[in-house]
């Protein structure tokens, strides 16, 4: 019932609702044209073990073979990929790469998991870069990929792993050609259109309420017509009046 009442008000005050909705469309189009286009590029890398394995041969006089500690986990490659992801997403690393908060360039690093709290999903490192220019989007992906390789070497050096057992980060997918991302512009336009539609509905109801209020005031201010009393009713109601008349 409320829906049809709303439709009735919109049709009755079309001279308000139609221009207001057209204005909302114009604002949405303006927002869509002013929001800058973001360009995205992606890259994928995978961790691999050396052909000689995670440990060196046992030398005479030693009891244990030198082992790469990062490969000594049950899922060493996957764990190392998670470590790299955590290091590449820190604020310090972003600052070293020239990324400023709310700037024109940003990047994301993940290991393929849709759950941010999941540590292991595979020995992969995925890099996504976005910027307002195609060149900047592809450049940030390259720089993050190079930083990932440097962080991998540094991590293995910190745990004193034998160089012969060092893991390598191989490129699976090179930085892809930048593509425009219309989602941000479209979301902004949809929000602007929704707000404009609400504003047009409010304006229509406001005009309709004002018109009803004025009509009621005119009706209340109009003089009431004189009341005509039937003399026969008075005579029947008051016998003294009847006596006087007779």
């Amino acid at each position: 019932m409320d829906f049809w009442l709303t439709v009735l008000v919109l049709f009755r005050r079309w001279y308000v609702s139609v221009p207001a909705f057209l204005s909302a469309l114009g604002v949405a189009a303006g927002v869509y044209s002013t929001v800058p286009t973001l360009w995205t590029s992606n890259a994928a890398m995978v961790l691999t073990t050396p052909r000689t394995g995670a440990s060196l041969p046992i030398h005479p006089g030693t009891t244990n073979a030198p082992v790469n500690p990062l490969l000594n986990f049950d899922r060493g490659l996957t764990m190392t990929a998670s470590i790299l992801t955590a290091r590449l997403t820190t604020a310090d690393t972003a600052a070293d790469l020239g990324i400023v908060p709310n700037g024109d360039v940003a990047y994301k690093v993940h290991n393929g998991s849709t759950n941010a709290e999941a540590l292991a999903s595979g020995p992969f490192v995925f890099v996504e870069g976005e910027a307002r220019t195609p060149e900047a989007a592809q450049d940030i992906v390259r720089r993050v990929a190079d930083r990932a390789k440097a962080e991998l070497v540094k991590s293995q050096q910190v745990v004193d792993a034998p160089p012969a057992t060092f893991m390598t980060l191989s490129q699976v997918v090179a930085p892809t050609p930048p593509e425009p991302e219309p989602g941000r512009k479209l979301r902004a336009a949809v929000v602007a259109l929704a707000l404009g539609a609400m504003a047009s509905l409010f304006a229509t109801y406001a005009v309709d309420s004002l018109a009803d209020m004025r009509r009621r005031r005119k009706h209340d201010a109009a003089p009431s017509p004189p009341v005509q009393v039937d003399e026969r009713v008075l005579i029947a109601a008051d016998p003294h009046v009847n006596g006087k008349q007779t």
Side-chain angles (χ1 to χ4, degrees):
M1 186 65 178
D2 293 339
F3 172 78
W4 293 112
L5 288 176
T6 301
V7 173
L8 180 62
V9 171
L10 292 176
F11 273 101
R12 185 168 62 231
R13 306 300 177 186
W14 63 269
Y15 52 87
V16 177
S17 60
V18 173
F21 184 72
L22 293 178
S23 299
L25 289 177
V27 171
V31 170
Y32 185 85
S33 62
T34 55
V35 173
T37 301
L38 288 181
W39 296 81
T40 60
S41 179
N42 302 277
M45 297 170 287
V46 63
L47 286 165
T48 56
T49 58
R51 290 183 298 174
T52 55
S55 62
L56 297 178
I58 300 177
H59 296 286
T62 60
T63 57
N64 296 321
V67 178
N68 187 336
L70 293 177
L71 286 172
N72 204 24
F73 300 103
D74 292 338
R75 304 175 69 179
L77 292 177
T78 300
M79 183 62 68
T80 304
S82 299
I83 293 173
L84 282 177
T85 300
R87 288 191 174 185
L88 293 171
T89 52
T90 61
D92 293 337
T93 302
D96 291 341
L97 293 171
I99 305 299
V100 296
N102 300 322
D104 295 340
V105 181
Y107 72 90
K108 298 178 183 177
V109 181
H110 58 90
N111 59 356
S113 174
T114 56
N115 184 3
E117 297 180 356
L119 291 178
S121 63
F124 297 96
V125 177
F126 297 94
V127 181
E128 299 177 3
E130 61 180 24
R132 295 189 179 184
T133 61
E135 297 78 10
Q138 200 168 36
D139 177 68
I140 187 60
V141 173
R142 291 195 185 100
R143 289 193 285 129
V144 174
D146 293 338
R147 181 62 178 262
K149 296 177 182 179
E151 289 290 340
L152 178 60
V153 173
K154 182 180 178 181
S155 299
Q156 296 177 99
Q157 290 174 344
V158 168
V159 297
D160 198 21
T165 66
F166 274 17
M167 289 172 283
T168 57
L169 199 56
S170 303
Q171 185 173 266
V172 177
V173 178
T176 59
E179 296 181 355
E181 177 58 44
R184 182 183 179 188
K185 294 169 67 71
L186 186 59
R187 286 193 297 269
V190 169
V191 171
L193 181 60
L195 294 177
M198 293 176 60
S200 64
L201 186 62
F202 176 80
T204 303
Y205 266 97
V207 171
D208 188 69
S209 299
L210 289 175
D212 289 342
M213 188 181 300
R214 291 177 180 176
R215 185 171 59 253
R216 291 175 183 175
R217 287 180 179 178
K218 290 181 179 180
H219 181 270
D220 296 338
S224 57
V227 179
Q228 296 181 356
V229 180
D230 193 349
E231 294 182 356
R232 291 174 296 178
V233 176
L234 292 176
I235 294 173
D238 191 352
H240 297 287
V241 174
N242 189 15
K244 291 181 181 179
Q245 288 182 349
T246 57

